[in-house]
Each structure stands twice: as C-alpha cells, then as structure tokens.
Amino acid sequence: MTETKIEEQHDSEPYQGHLEGVARRDALGVLAFAAIVILGGLTTLALLASWPQWVLAICTFLLAIIALVLAYSHTVRRPDHLRARESDRISRTANEALTYMGEGLTAENAQAVCEVVLASSPSTVAVAITDDQQVLGFAGRGADHHTPGRPIVTRATRTALERNETVVLTSKVAIGCRDPRCPLRAAIVVPLKVGARAIGTLKYYYLRETQLTETELVAAEGLARLLSTQLVIHELENQAALATQLELKALQAQINPHFLFNTINTISAYVRTDAETARHLLRQFAAFYRRTLEHADQPITLGLEITFLKQYFELEKARFGDQVDLILDIDQAALDLPMPSFMLQPLVENAIGHGMHDDGRSLQVKVSVVESDQDSDTWLITVTDNGVGMDADFTSRVFERTSSTGLGVALRNVTDRLRGFYGSESELHIESAPGKGTKVSFSVKKLLN
C-alpha cells in the first residue's frame, strides 16, 4: 500500500521506519562487538599484568552489562519475536473489532471499534473512524474536542480518502487540530475500502513522532484491511438480502392477480342476486387487500397470516356455500412465527380449486401448525383436504417448470418464496392419491420464532 507522509502541510518522502530500524540495529551490533573485543582485551591484560583490582572489576562489570543488553535484544526485541507478538495483538484486536464492523459502518459500531483498538494498542493514545463525510467514532486523548458527528475538516483525512492511500502525519500542524490544548502530535490515517472506493478512514494518534513506528503502521494498515473486508461482506449481504426481497415481491405479485380475479368474480355474481351481501364482501375484500398491501414490504406473523386466511375463506364461502369448510388446528405458541404474506392462502385456494368433488360432496380443508414428531425444534405446517386427489405421475410433475397448470404455478411460487425466506432446508412436500385427498406440508425451525 502507498503511504504519504505529511509534515508542516507539505508532502514528503514515503515512510522509511523499516530501513532506519535496520540501520540502527546493525550499528548497535557493530558497536557491541567492538566493545566486547576491547573490554575482553583489557580484562586479559589486567589478569596477566596484575593490574589493580578495580580495573578488573570495571571491565568485568561492563562486559556483564553488554551481555545483558545483547541477551535482551535477542530474546525480547529480536524482530521475529516482535513480529509474533504484534501478529498476536493484531489478531486479537481484529477478532473483537470485526464483531462490530460486521454490522456496517455506523456511528455506534465505529465508536465500539475505536474503544477496542485503543485498549489493545499501548503506544496509541487515540483512535478515530470516519466515513467519507464525518467523524463516526473517537476514543482516547483529545476526546473533549475531537467529538463524533463533526464533519471532516482536516486535509490529511481528505487526502487519504481522495488518493485512497495511507497518510502519515508527524506534527500537530499536519494533524490540523485548531485546539491549542490538543496533545496529539503524530498520526496514521488509513482508508477503509469497499472495492476500489474509499468509504472511510481508520486513524491512530500519538503523543510523539517517535511512537509512530513501522510496527504501528503495519498494525493500522492490517486492521484497516480486515475491517474493509468485513465491510465488503456486509455490503454483499445487504445486496443479497435486497435481491431476495425483490424476488419475494416479484413472486408475491404472481399470486395476487389470480386471487383478485376470483374474488371479483364472486362479488360480481352477488351484485346481481344479493346487493347487501355484495357490499359486505366488497368491504371485506377491501380490508383484506389493504392489509396485504400494508405488509407487502416486510414479513408478517403466522397469526396475521391466519387472520388473512379467514378473511379469504369468507369470500370463498360466499362463492361455494356449504360445499367448502375450513378447519384450523394452530398451536398458539407458533403464532409469532415470521413468514411472507400469502404462504397459506395459495395452498388453500389450490385445495378448493382442484379438490372439489363432482358429486357435490363437501370439501374439508384443514390447516394445521403443530410441533413436528421428528424434531421438537420444528413447526410442521400442513394444508390437507379430502378432495379428489392426484395420481403419483401428476404429483411428480407438478413442480416442473414446464408445468403450466394453475396448481403447478402456485406451488412453485410458494416453494420459491419458502426457500427464499427460510432457506434451502425448507421444502414443500405433497402427498396425494386419487379419491384420498391431498396433503401439502413444509417445516420451519422454531428459532425463527
């Protein structure tokens, strides 16, 4: 990633912390080796030439000091050890921060991430997160005047967003804070990206330029990449959810006109023979359809779906009279189960439209929602009729895309919406036999409740 260093409002060379650190370590190594050779020689001479004891003591003491420094350097400060410690720190910080950023770049999530990062970064005295317009979160020194909700005013943050690259700041002037009490003197500003677009920044602040090391830079950029990845995942999940919602609306639109056509025909028939009943049914239909439209953009509950179903069946009862009957067996604990609207109505409509007896016998349609016998964590939802039924060959072909019957179109519609809303585990099952009626069922986990 490209870095830009800003000092006294001027652009300069890229950050060179790594090379400077290597040079310092090499120089210290040469000096330590030279000191050991000199002190070792003096100690040998002191022993051979019987020099005063204090000379021997000083040489031995200095050799011990150098040995301790070298031991510390090779155990605590050696590069591989530092990298391991920093990797572990960044990993632990990222794991905690990602739990918040997975819900998107909001003020609440940004503030939580700032506090997590600040608590795990010893050298960092303040952390901020912005979107492309304002400060979303700030934690640490300077929080009294670096308050969330303020618009972005610093040139450095704008530069990071516009250039889509890391900016390193090495003075208070470069940071751009106008408060004379502000203690912040150095900073790293890393863009947060979705694709090739910078949608915000992650900012680390320090009290001194010397605290702004290569390790801090790597930590900031590494966490920013992880947060950016999480934001991309969140964006993809939102798009997938939107696509599913649009698909459900499209499928919903396929069912409503069919029901509308049948209902208008029923009311039209009563207009000629019973105007009072026609007016009552028209009011029922208007109330039913208004509620359906009000809930078209969001899931409803099973309880509300049952209410819609009763209103629908009143219209069908007006059409067929005693030829149809509806039986409900609903576990009250399942009434809060979420579902798309018009999941049960098409199944009941199919039972009436395709199960009626030719000899005028009454058709009973039973809607049941009970706990599954096989899985106590699952609701079993069934629509059963005692109608004419279907043979095995017809049942096997009813879900095929080539099937153009009203029964096939409606069942495929319900199946697609069932999978889109509850997931691939939910499947529509049909059991039927000629003269034995039809049973349509599907299962839903109680965890959705």
Side-chain angles (χ1 to χ4, degrees):
M1 182 181 291
T2 305
E3 296 96 32
T4 301
K5 184 176 181 181
I6 296 182
E7 183 174 8
E8 304 299 333
Q9 301 292 327
H10 296 290
D11 295 336
S12 62
E13 295 300 319
Y15 186 71
Q16 298 293 325
H18 175 68
L19 295 179
E20 294 170 1
V22 171
R24 285 195 297 268
R25 286 194 296 271
D26 290 345
L28 288 173
V30 171
L31 289 174
F33 179 74
I36 289 173
V37 171
I38 293 171
L39 289 173
L42 290 174
T43 302
T44 302
L45 288 173
L47 290 171
L48 294 176
S50 299
W51 287 4
Q53 289 294 320
W54 62 269
V55 176
L56 180 62
I58 291 175
C59 290
T60 304
F61 176 76
L62 292 175
L63 282 171
I65 293 296
I66 293 174
L68 288 174
V69 170
L70 290 176
Y72 174 78
S73 177
H74 283 280
T75 57
V76 179
R77 298 192 58 83
R78 67 178 187 268
D80 59 334
H81 183 78
L82 284 175
R83 283 195 294 268
R85 288 198 304 168
E86 285 306 307
S87 296
D88 181 64
R89 179 174 69 84
I90 294 171
S91 176
R92 285 185 283 107
T93 303
N95 285 338
E96 190 172 356
L98 291 180
T99 60
Y100 297 102
M101 202 56 74
E103 300 176 4
L105 189 59
T106 66
E108 182 179 359
N109 297 336
Q111 184 63 36
V113 171
C114 288
E115 292 170 2
V116 167
V117 175
L118 180 65
S120 63
S121 304
S123 300
T124 308
V125 296
V127 178
I129 290 180
T130 76
D131 59 14
D132 58 354
Q133 298 296 327
Q134 64 178 343
V135 179
L136 296 179
F138 188 98
R141 301 282 290 273
D144 57 330
H145 57 281
H146 287 275
T147 53
R150 297 183 306 114
I152 295 173
V153 296
T154 60
R155 186 175 68 89
T157 304
R158 286 293 177 195
T159 299
L161 288 167
E162 293 168 2
R163 298 185 183 180
N164 201 3
E165 62 184 32
T166 298
V167 173
V168 175
L169 310 172
T170 57
S171 70
K172 180 178 179 178
V173 174
I175 290 174
C177 181
R178 299 175 183 175
D179 192 314
R181 303 167 299 161
C182 185
L184 308 178
R185 295 295 184 272
I188 301 170
V189 185
V190 189
L192 298 173
K193 304 178 183 181
V194 171
R197 179 171 56 95
I199 65 167
T201 63
L202 172 65
K203 305 167 75 171
Y204 283 41
Y205 289 99
Y206 307 91
L207 295 177
R208 296 180 299 278
E209 180 186 355
T210 55
Q211 294 176 312
L212 202 163
T213 64
E214 182 196 13
T215 299
E216 292 294 313
L217 181 64
V218 169
E221 291 186 328
L223 181 59
R225 281 193 294 269
L226 291 173
L227 294 179
S228 295
T229 300
Q230 196 67 27
L231 290 172
V232 170
I233 293 173
H234 176 72
E235 185 78 12
L236 292 175
E237 289 175 347
N238 281 346
Q239 292 177 6
L242 179 59
T244 299
Q245 185 180 30
L246 292 174
E247 181 181 3
L248 291 175
K249 287 183 180 179
L251 293 169
Q252 175 80 37
Q254 295 176 14
I255 283 185
N256 288 347
H258 182 59
F259 171 64
L260 175 64
F261 176 77
N262 284 340
T263 303
I264 290 177
N265 276 347
T266 300
I267 296 174
S268 296
Y270 273 97
V271 167
R272 295 190 296 269
T273 60
D274 189 342
E276 185 61 33
T277 299
R279 282 193 293 271
H280 170 71
L281 292 176
L282 190 59
R283 285 194 295 269
Q284 286 293 96
F285 176 68
F288 168 75
Y289 222 82
R290 181 173 64 251
R291 290 182 183 178
T292 301
L293 293 174
E294 287 174 353
H295 295 278
D297 294 335
Q298 58 187 355
I300 64 172
T301 62
L302 173 66
L304 192 54
E305 176 76 355
I306 295 299
T307 300
F308 290 168
L309 183 61
K310 290 177 180 178
Q311 290 179 328
Y312 157 76
F313 196 78
E314 183 177 354
L315 297 171
E316 292 289 58
K317 190 74 172 177
R319 179 183 176 192
F320 293 105
D322 293 336
Q323 286 185 279
V324 294
D325 193 18
L326 178 65
I327 302 172
L328 297 176
D329 179 19
I330 311 297
D331 191 321
Q332 296 299 299
L335 293 179
D336 291 331
L337 179 72
M339 63 170 48
S341 59
F342 275 92
M343 285 294 289
L344 298 180
Q345 182 270 334
L347 302 181
V348 173
E349 184 176 356
N350 270 339
I352 295 173
H354 299 276
M356 295 289 286
H357 297 283
D358 294 333
D359 57 9
R361 282 185 294 158
S362 176
L363 175 73
Q364 288 187 339
V365 182
K366 181 179 180 180
V367 177
S368 172
V369 181
V370 297
E371 188 177 277
S372 172
D373 292 334
Q374 282 102 19
D375 185 356
S376 60
D377 292 329
T378 300
W379 293 118
L380 178 63
I381 301 174
T382 61
V383 177
T384 308
D385 67 69
N386 65 344
V388 298
M390 301 176 288
D391 59 38
D393 181 59
F394 186 86
T395 303
S396 65
R397 291 184 287 105
V398 74
F399 287 110
E400 294 177 0
R401 294 294 170 183
T402 55
S403 173
S404 59
T405 65
L407 174 63
V409 171
L411 290 179
R412 286 198 307 273
N413 188 298
V414 173
T415 298
D416 289 341
R417 292 194 298 141
L418 184 65
R419 291 172 179 168
F421 189 81
Y422 295 116
S424 58
E425 299 91 9
S426 293
E427 294 283 347
L428 204 64
H429 301 280
I430 298 180
E431 301 173 31
S432 187
K436 302 294 184 180
T438 301
K439 177 181 178 181
V440 182
S441 64
F442 60 93
S443 299
V444 177
K445 287 291 184 182
K446 288 183 178 180
L447 292 177
L448 291 170
N449 207 353

